[in-house]
Amino acid sequence: MGYDSGMRHRASRLALALTLTTAVLAGCAGRTPEVLAVGAPAPALAQVAHDGTTIELHKLEGRIALVYFYPKDGTPGCTTEACAIRDVWSRFEEAGILVVGVSSDSDQSHREFAAEHDLPFPLIADQEHRWTEAFGVDTTLGLASRDSFLIGPSGTIAKVYRGVDPGIHADQVLGDAAALNDGR
């Protein structure tokens, strides 16, 4: 093989390797789903949470619910978000807001996370990504984006929060839920 043909052969192999690497990484990032829009009906999902409670979104009519997606139990941002909700839990209860956390961690991981931080709300183990797909939440390497959905009393999406800031999210939700309650 001459110099030019050898270089072309190596260049072809490099191009193929880069193409395959790009395809694999794109596949790991998951597809970009279409996020549920304000006004869309909440998905008819039902699942037993880490604490044994059954969450049935289709049976929440008349109630406000926050379904929040987070990447992983025990990580700094996820802990901040969960504890911020916990710290104002009495205000969530007064507003009648059901809170459901969702990640791809196992029920056992959720039990440990909830016990360690004394979380008063259920966590869903979405290991098959049914919840993330139904809500249109992006995933990267199997981990959900930090997105949340406020479901209004009519059973439709009232507010979509993309790329949530864990430190202020609880207060945002409480303000938006108060506006929903005032509009009843």
Side-chain angles (χ1 to χ4, degrees):
M1 196 180 314
Y3 179 77
D4 284 340
S5 64
M7 288 298 284
R8 280 194 303 271
H9 181 67
R10 281 193 285 282
S12 279
R13 286 190 309 180
L14 179 60
L16 177 61
L18 288 173
T19 301
L20 290 173
T21 300
T22 302
V24 167
L25 290 176
C28 289
R31 62 179 179 77
T32 302
E34 188 168 325
V35 69
L36 286 181
V38 170
L45 295 167
Q47 188 166 330
V48 176
H50 83 284
D51 60 1
T53 60
T54 300
I55 305 300
E56 296 178 280
L57 294 183
H58 65 281
K59 290 187 176 181
L60 295 180
E61 194 161 321
R63 188 154 186 209
I64 296 173
L66 172 70
V67 178
Y68 84 94
F69 293 85
Y70 64 99
K72 189 154 184 59
D73 292 338
T75 57
C78 299
T79 301
T80 297
E81 185 174 15
C83 291
I85 294 169
R86 175 206 62 204
D87 292 347
V88 292
W89 185 246
S90 63
R91 292 175 57 202
F92 274 87
E93 286 183 311
E94 287 169 12
I97 304 169
L98 169 69
V99 175
V100 180
V102 182
S103 84
S104 61
D105 291 307
S106 68
D107 279 326
Q108 182 59 36
S109 177
H110 286 335
R111 282 190 287 275
E112 292 167 6
F113 182 55
E116 179 180 355
H117 298 289
D118 197 26
L119 302 181
F121 49 85
L123 303 174
I124 295 291
D126 189 30
Q127 294 180 302
E128 295 169 358
H129 304 286
R130 289 182 323 114
W131 288 64
T132 53
E133 288 177 9
F135 278 88
V137 173
D138 290 329
T139 60
T140 301
L141 300 174
L143 303 177
S145 295
R146 196 178 307 282
D147 296 336
S148 293
F149 299 82
L150 189 62
I151 301 170
S154 65
T156 62
I157 304 300
K159 180 84 177 184
V160 177
Y161 309 86
R162 301 293 305 255
V164 166
D165 179 336
I168 64 170
H169 189 48
D171 286 331
Q172 287 175 320
V173 170
L174 287 166
D176 291 334
L180 286 175
N181 278 328
D182 290 345
R184 281 188 180 182

